Amino acid sequence: TLSSAFDVSTASFVDSFSVSSQDSAIRDVEFNADGTKMYVVGDTNNSIFQYSLSTAFDVSTASYDSVSFSVASQETNPSGMAFNTDGTKMFVLGRSGDDVGEYALTTGFDISTASFTDSFSVAGQETGPEGIAFNTDGTKMFVVGEAGDDVNVYTLSTGFDVSSASYTSNF
């Protein structure tokens, strides 16, 4: 819990939820828009795992949906993930390919409906990508890297379409 909104210096521990039954090398966690679904990136199994939360954003109420999606055909070292606003696109960042994989979901935020669409290499800027985020309309993509110790910024001419991405700058 943060006593002051968005101020991590005011954080205090509340609870935890073990996902070790699904994977032992967790790299990232994401939520759907209303906090009733949680997604975990597992490096050991090269998969995304889906959980339901009976109370929004409260991990103590999480339960495994017995739904996972393997990204091993595209990435054997997934390190981060993100969704577009309505959950019809999922993006998986990977260290073995140094790229962002784009997946289409026929049902928003249901990873069992995902299929690979495209990928975008970030290797020219980062060889150890760790985290990914987008702005609200998907026209900016941010990739955090371990090798460069920086945040790389990409512009997408079509929102949430990695095939339209181009490198802009870093910080």
Side-chain angles (χ1 to χ4, degrees):
T1 299
L2 289 95
S3 55
S4 295
F6 297 100
D7 183 352
V8 295
S9 70
T10 67
S12 61
F13 177 77
V14 175
D15 209 342
S16 64
F17 176 77
S18 176
V19 296
S20 61
S21 296
Q22 287 73 55
D23 203 286
S24 60
I26 300 309
R27 298 293 177 241
D28 197 9
V29 61
E30 287 293 323
F31 292 86
N32 68 349
D34 67 5
T36 58
K37 293 285 183 183
M38 178 175 74
Y39 308 86
V40 171
V41 178
D43 189 24
T44 303
N45 294 308
N46 304 314
S47 294
I48 311 299
F49 300 93
Q50 181 176 301
Y51 304 82
S52 289
L53 286 76
S54 57
T55 302
F57 297 107
D58 182 350
V59 297
S60 70
T61 68
S63 61
Y64 180 48
D65 287 346
S66 297
V67 174
S68 64
F69 180 77
S70 175
V71 296
S73 295
Q74 293 80 39
E75 181 57 55
T76 57
N77 195 354
S79 56
M81 73 173 296
F83 287 100
N84 69 344
T85 311
D86 65 3
T88 56
K89 287 192 175 185
M90 176 175 72
F91 304 89
V92 178
L93 187 63
R95 289 179 60 100
S96 63
D98 297 327
D99 63 359
V100 179
E102 180 181 314
Y103 299 82
L105 285 73
T106 55
T107 302
F109 295 107
D110 181 354
I111 63 170
S112 70
T113 68
S115 59
F116 178 71
T117 305
D118 205 351
S119 64
F120 176 78
S121 176
V122 297
Q125 296 77 45
E126 183 57 57
T127 57
E130 290 290 335
I132 183 171
F134 290 86
N135 68 345
T136 315
D137 65 3
T139 56
K140 295 283 185 188
M141 178 174 71
F142 307 90
V143 175
V144 176
E146 177 185 37
D149 292 329
D150 59 1
V151 178
N152 297 285
V153 182
Y154 302 84
T155 299
L156 288 73
S157 57
T158 303
F160 295 109
D161 180 356
V162 297
S163 70
S164 73
S166 60
Y167 174 70
T168 305
S169 62
N170 73 331
F171 173 78

